Every structure is written in C-alpha cells, then in structure tokens.
Amino acid sequence: MRRRVVITGMGCITPLGMGLEALWEGLVTPRRVISRITHFDPTGYSTQIAAEVRDFDPKQFMDGKEARRTSRFIQFALATTQFALDDAQLSITPDNAERIGVLIGSGIGGIDYMDSQVRVLDREGPHRISPFLPAMMIADMASGMTSIRYGLKGPNLCVVTACSTGADALGLAMRTIQYGDADVMIAGGTEAAINPIGIAGFCAARAMSTRNDDPEHASRPFDAERDGFVMGEGCGIVVLESLEHALARGARIYAELKGYGMSADAYHITQPDPEGDGARRAMQNAIRDAGLTPEQIDYINAHGTSTRYNDAKETLAIKRVFGERAYQLPVSSTKSVTGHLLGAAGAVEAIACVLALRHQTLPPTINYEHPDPECDLDYVPNTARPATLKHVMSNSFGFGGHNTALVMSQYEG
Amino acid sequence: MNQEIFERVQKVIVEQLDKRPEEITLETNLAEDLQADSLDLVELAMALEQEFDVTIGEDEAEQVRTVADAVRLLTAKLGAENE
C-alpha cells in the first residue's frame, strides 16, 4: 500500500508578482503583464515581448555576495522555497532534516551566465573564467543551494524535461515520498531565460509569438489567431508531505497529489505527435495512477502554450481520453495570463490547480476571441467562473516529446 | 606598505566579497575574518589580476592569507615590472 501524499505549502514568483495571492488574483481578475522586454534591448529579435518578473529583489533574500554568485533561476528557487516553507509552517530541525528532500528542476538553467563566460573565454582565455561558472550554470544547483540554505538533508535531485520539468519534479517527488525515501519533499520548477541567448534560441526555433505590436494579446491559447508562446519566468514550489507526517504535525492540507502520468511521443524534437498520442497516454496514466476514471476529472489546466501545434494536438488528445464528455469538461490555459514559464510552468500551474480547488473557481483562458475548428472545447473563455471541483488535472509537455500529467484532488480523510 | 596599492586591494575586496571598507585592514585574514571560501579566493585573485594588470600564479595565490600578504605580493609584482 503506497503512502498518500498531500500538499501542505506553496509559494511562487511569477510575472504577476510575489506569492500566491498575486498569482490567483491575477488569474481570476486577469492582469495583462506581457510587454516589451526590458531585461535587455530586444531590438533586432523576431520576438521582442515576454512576461518578465519585475519586482524581485534578490537582496531581500540573500546578502550581496551570495546574490552575485547565484544565478537568477537559483535566486528564484531560494526565495520561493522560503515562501513555501513559511506557508507550510514547517520548521527544519535535527530530528526531521534527514527526511526532508528537495527536487527542483529547471529547463534551461543558467544559460545567461554561461553565455557571458563564453565571451570571456573567447576574449581573454581560460584563466579568466569564473570559478562560479559551474555553480551558476548547472540546473541541479537550485536543489543543491536550497538544501544548503535550509539544511534539508534528504534526497536531493533535479529533473530536466524541458517544459514538463516542473510537473515531473512534483510527480517524482511524490514517488519519493510514496516509496518511503523521504517524508517531506520541497518540489517545483524555476526558470529565468529571458536573456539574449535564451530568447534568440526560441526565436530561431520559430516557437514564440511575434505579435510585438500587441503584446497584451500575444498569448492566446486555442484562439484561431495564435502564433506562438510568450516566454515567462519565475518559480513555483510546493511542500509535499506524506499524509501521516502532515496529520502528525497538524498541518493544513491544501489538496492531495493523487496521480502522475508520463509518456514520450517518440516523434519529433519540437512538434507534438500528430494524433496527440503521447499527451493522451500521459493523461490516461495519471488518471489510472490516481485510481480514478476520466468521468471523475472536473477540470484540466492545459499545457495550452498558444502555439499552433500544441493547442490543436492537446485538444485532440483530450477528446481521445474523454470522448463526448470532452465537450462538457472545462479546459483552460493560465499561460494566457502568465506567459510560458518553461521549466517552472508545470509547478506554477499545479499551484493554480490547487488554488482552483480551494476557491472552487475556474481560472480563464484570456485573449480568446476567434474560434478555431480544431480547438472546439470549453476553454473557460476570458472570464473566471465558479465550478464544483473535486479532481483536477494539469498537463505539461516538453521539447523532446516529454509528456506529463498530474492529478490533484480535494483532500478527504 | 604602499597606501595606494592597499586602497585598490581594499576596493576590490569590498566589491568581490560585499564588505564595508572599514572591515578591511592590513591585518584582515581573508578566510577567517571575511569568510572567503576557496572559490571566493580564486575569484578574488582574478579580480586583483585585472585591477593591477598582473598575473598571479596559483601557488602565489595560495600564499595569500591576509590583506597585507596581497599588498606585499602586488607591490613586488608591480615593482618588478617597473624595473
């Protein structure tokens, strides 16, 4: 009998601001935070817009020396973990530290620092390279530095599955607790790739919206006039806990993390399977893992990137899983508001799902104006609405053909 | 001790290790007083190389424990170049 895993704390940094309230308020009373890039001068890039985090000051969370030797994606993780631990009211003690682990992923890692150091290498040679380059670059350092800062001595891992990263971090952390390797896991995703080399790469891959003259309407999942995703940045962290551990310390339980499904398309590096086959199997695996049937799922937080292919194929996959019921099942993409947080997206969207359960409210897909015959489901267009939610699912799919689905449920003792 | 060199070393340490100038005297021990770890010391040596436009060997850098050590090493290097 595997152990039940519950969510007892959450934290996030998103383009909507610091913390859960900024996220939820910004989703249900949609704020438009996508605008011209300010982190660098985007002149000459085919995409010049993004959803930036603009109110984050690392020095509120660490001293100047630590901030200087820590990449932005790691700074996000350190700060967000503090939010999540505070929210869970979990104190780390010598008695529990060895049973608390960390699994924070990043899709991209410290690409901007790597880029700047390659320039130093070219210009000044290898002896001018910073000793901090490895620590600033490698994706696992968010988990590593989080364990160091908070004294978390349990399993310490990183997962990198492109835009499925955040969801896989939650799923694999859930498995770590189910299997008994830890009682508590700090799990999530973090990303900060709005920099010249990060944007240039996705521009070249033709994956992003070029609606530079109308950024507020550029992220328009499932709309017929969608033309690509809008990059966001930020971090989502949850505190996962075995049910018995949570009950023993009298923790507030937000929801149960009940199902995790994985699959690969085995098809193409960036395009989804034309039949949505991998996405279908990930959803079916997650529902089965949760011990549920498709009829019991009340809402899907879609991957919904606003790319032509993803949104059509994800829609197709949902129809394959849910049959005729797909047309009655609300499906929304919160990326319409936040942009696409890449490796952090799955974690932030799982948090959005938990908040939806808590508030019994569906966050909308904004910028939905023109129906696309290939996308004909109920996307909760433009306006939040109340709903009775017991079991909800979040989809995340990544370049490379990774597909991940999570099922979260109202906690019932 | 060369006051000008000391002040430039002090300025580099302030920037690299996020310290206040008054925390840094000739007697200051980099590891013990300023909590500089091994990576900090490598980076500090690189910053001093750039500031003074000299090359500091690994074994030379390892001998530097205090601010006075650094000032002495740099004074010798700059003196050698001027001769």
Side-chain angles (χ1 to χ4, degrees):
Chain A
M1 179 67 185
R2 66 188 198 186
R3 305 203 296 173
R4 293 172 70 183
V5 176
V6 292
I7 298 169
T8 56
M10 305 193 290
C12 63
I13 291 176
T14 70
L16 291 165
M18 303 293 113
L20 301 173
E21 205 168 318
L23 173 67
W24 184 248
E25 288 306 313
L27 290 178
V28 296
T29 313
R31 283 180 54 209
R32 295 183 188 273
V33 293
I34 294 167
S35 63
R36 184 174 170 86
I37 290 170
T38 63
H39 290 350
F40 66 96
D41 177 4
T43 304
Y45 290 69
S46 55
T47 293
Q48 303 178 1
I49 56 176
E52 296 177 326
V53 171
R54 294 197 181 148
D55 50 356
F56 177 68
D57 175 10
K59 295 202 176 154
Q60 288 183 352
F61 303 94
M62 59 201 79
D63 66 30
K65 180 178 124 179
E66 190 177 3
R68 203 172 49 76
R69 56 153 71 174
T70 308
S71 284
R72 185 171 169 88
F73 81 101
I74 300 171
Q75 294 174 350
F76 283 163
L78 292 174
T80 309
T81 297
Q82 185 67 64
F83 296 159
L85 288 172
D86 290 349
D87 188 51
Q89 297 190 307
L90 178 67
S91 26
I92 317 298
T93 66
D95 288 334
N96 66 17
E98 294 177 15
R99 299 290 299 164
I100 305 176
V102 184
L103 206 173
I104 301 172
S106 177
I108 311 283
I111 191 175
D112 51 338
Y113 194 67
M114 162 110 160
D115 174 46
S116 71
Q117 288 287 293
V118 169
R119 289 159 206 274
V120 172
L121 181 68
D122 280 349
R123 205 172 50 228
E124 301 175 48
H127 59 285
R128 290 288 183 207
I129 293 298
S130 165
F132 295 104
L133 170 59
M136 300 269 274
M137 179 189 77
I138 53 182
D140 61 289
M141 204 50 80
S143 283
M145 288 186 68
T146 298
S147 75
I148 294 165
R149 156 162 298 217
Y150 298 103
L152 307 170
K153 299 185 175 177
N156 197 266
L157 303 163
C158 173
V159 58
V160 179
T161 50
C163 303
S164 294
T165 295
D168 280 319
L170 266 60
L172 293 170
M174 174 177 84
R175 291 279 188 262
T176 304
I177 295 171
Q178 285 174 336
Y179 205 77
D181 292 313
D183 294 325
V184 181
M185 289 293 287
I186 309 304
T190 183
E191 203 77 87
I194 303 174
N195 44 59
I197 192 72
I199 293 289
F202 284 100
C203 283
R206 303 278 190 277
M208 292 193 297
S209 170
T210 56
R211 198 181 285 260
N212 296 323
D213 55 351
D214 185 18
E216 293 191 347
H217 300 96
S219 186
R220 42 193 316 121
F222 306 109
D223 183 273
E225 296 188 4
R226 67 189 182 276
D227 74 325
F229 78 82
V230 175
M231 196 186 290
E233 60 176 346
C235 181
I237 301 283
V238 301
V239 177
L240 298 180
E241 211 165 334
S242 74
L243 177 60
E244 56 267 40
H245 191 276
L247 292 175
R249 72 179 186 91
R252 172 213 35 211
I253 295 174
Y254 275 118
E256 181 169 0
L257 181 53
K258 224 173 158 62
Y260 175 37
M262 300 170 263
S263 76
D265 277 357
Y267 174 70
H268 185 268
I269 51 172
T270 59
Q271 287 175 20
D273 181 278
E275 299 299 315
D277 178 67
R280 170 183 64 77
R281 286 182 290 112
M283 285 188 267
Q284 287 172 333
N285 290 342
I287 293 168
R288 191 181 312 116
D289 188 52
L292 301 173
T293 61
E295 293 67 41
Q296 292 174 279
I297 301 296
D298 298 313
Y299 162 66
I300 298 176
N301 187 298
H303 187 52
T305 54
S306 185
T307 63
R308 184 134 297 283
Y309 282 116
N310 176 81
D311 298 359
K313 300 313 172 190
E314 184 172 10
T315 297
L316 183 60
I318 290 169
K319 290 181 198 169
R320 297 258 159 94
V321 174
F322 294 92
E324 277 302 305
R325 190 170 166 269
Y327 296 95
Q328 276 83 53
L329 176 64
V331 174
S332 74
S333 171
T334 45
K335 289 187 181 78
S336 58
V337 176
T338 63
H340 186 355
L341 274 62
L342 307 181
V348 168
E349 288 157 22
I351 291 171
C353 281
V354 172
L355 294 171
L357 282 171
R358 206 163 171 74
H359 294 280
Q360 295 288 293
T361 298
L362 300 169
T365 305
I366 66 165
N367 298 326
Y368 186 81
E369 294 175 311
H370 311 97
D372 172 352
E374 282 194 285
C375 300
D376 54 354
L377 302 178
D378 169 11
Y379 299 111
V380 195
N382 302 313
T383 312
R385 65 173 193 243
T388 302
L389 303 176
K390 196 166 168 194
H391 305 288
V392 302
M393 186 159 69
S394 179
N395 285 344
S396 299
F397 313 131
F399 277 8
H402 315 280
N403 305 291
T404 305
L406 297 171
V407 173
M408 287 144 282
S409 304
Q410 289 272 26
Y411 169 66
E412 288 178 352
Chain B
M1 284 290 165
N2 183 317
Q3 182 67 19
E4 186 228 323
I5 292 179
F6 167 73
E7 282 170 10
R8 286 166 71 191
V9 169
Q10 189 185 41
K11 182 179 72 107
V12 169
I13 294 173
V14 164
E15 284 167 11
Q16 292 291 313
L17 301 180
D18 194 39
K19 299 291 175 188
R20 294 188 313 274
E22 54 270 27
E23 291 178 89
I24 299 155
T25 67
L26 283 169
E27 289 74 39
T28 304
N29 184 297
L30 298 171
E32 286 165 21
D33 300 327
L34 301 181
Q35 294 81 45
D37 64 23
S38 59
L39 295 178
D40 286 325
L41 294 175
V42 174
E43 203 184 41
L44 183 61
M46 288 169 51
L48 291 171
E49 285 185 328
Q50 280 195 303
E51 169 68 22
F52 291 93
D53 196 21
V54 296
T55 304
I56 301 174
E58 252 177 71
D59 39 343
E60 289 175 317
E62 276 170 21
Q63 303 302 316
V64 173
R65 301 220 145 64
T66 63
V67 174
D69 293 340
V71 173
R72 233 184 326 266
L73 176 67
L74 290 161
T75 306
K77 282 194 175 286
L78 293 172
E81 278 181 12
N82 291 338
E83 276 166 17

